[in-house]
Amino acid sequence: MLAQNGVPAPEDLAEVMPSEERLARGPVAMAECFQNIPCDPCYHSCRRQAIKPFSDINDRPQIDHELCNGCGMCLSRCPGLAIFVIDQTYGEKEALVKIPYEYLPLPGEGDVVEAVNRAGETVGEARVAKVQSGAKLDGTAIVWLVVPRELSMEVRHFKIKGGR
Ligand code: SF4
Ligand code: SF4
């Protein structure tokens, strides 16, 4: 499925997903990087050494979810926009998904946007809780989306209503 349309299959996701027990303890990153390509800025960006050392630059990133605190620094450093932070402790019925975003205009805090899954399909609505941007983030904004809890492993992009 991944090779045909770029959408990871459940078994691909199972390889990189934090455990339920880890997700229950707060924000944590998930690297949805499934191809062996010569790239490693995610590894160099993590000050907690939560991304394991690469033995070869073509390795895929391996996150130690116990060391990761969900700070989100690696999101803005990944040229593939392939890393997300999920916080299932955000609320009783809501979760937070931090999404790297390189389109303009940026959404505003409080905006309600279309929540989009990995296949580009709208699956519901999300609320923008925060937008991080600026020089420190290398031009890649991080948008904090509040989504229904059951969609926290589905929503990986969004569309501004009436826009893209
Ligand atoms: S979210 Fe922060 S701690 Fe976790 S892997 Fe990325 S940079 Fe490291
Ligand atoms: S920076 Fe992004 S694309 Fe490059 S190896 Fe890390 S997760 Fe994959």
Side-chain angles (χ1 to χ4, degrees):
M1 196 172 182
L2 185 65
Q4 279 81 46
N5 59 14
V7 180
E11 54 269 30
D12 299 315
L13 294 170
E15 280 183 24
V16 298
M17 201 175 290
S19 67
E20 288 296 323
E21 189 271 334
R22 175 62 190 85
L23 285 163
R25 281 191 273 124
V28 63
M30 179 166 166
E32 301 190 18
C33 178
F34 298 107
Q35 291 188 315
N36 295 81
I37 53 171
C39 182
D40 68 355
C42 54
Y43 166 66
H44 295 285
S45 71
C46 182
R47 294 180 190 156
R48 294 177 64 84
Q49 284 79 49
I51 300 180
K52 297 177 187 173
F54 286 40
S55 58
D56 181 293
I57 195 168
N58 292 294
D59 285 352
R60 289 168 47 195
Q62 305 286 327
I63 298 182
D64 182 334
H65 294 126
E66 292 303 312
L67 292 178
C68 173
N69 67 355
C71 72
M73 185 54 71
C74 54
L75 275 64
S76 66
R77 295 297 186 272
C78 167
L81 308 183
I83 311 180
F84 306 87
V85 167
I86 297 98
D87 183 1
Q88 292 192 345
T89 65
Y90 181 77
E92 209 172 295
K93 295 186 175 173
E94 294 178 321
L96 191 70
V97 183
K98 295 184 187 178
I99 294 184
Y101 191 74
E102 291 186 338
Y103 293 103
L104 291 173
L106 292 173
E109 292 180 7
D111 285 359
V112 174
V113 296
E114 291 182 38
V116 171
N117 67 11
R118 296 178 182 88
E121 302 157 343
T122 297
V123 291
E125 288 189 336
R127 188 175 75 253
V128 176
K130 186 170 178 173
V131 178
Q132 296 175 286
S133 62
K136 279 188 183 167
L137 295 182
D138 267 358
T140 300
I142 308 296
V143 177
W144 298 27
L145 281 191
V146 179
V147 304
R149 211 164 183 282
E150 64 276 14
L151 293 182
S152 66
M153 284 298 169
E154 298 290 325
V155 176
R156 291 296 179 267
H157 192 54
F158 65 90
K159 289 183 195 169
I160 294 174
K161 290 193 173 191
R164 290 176 303 274

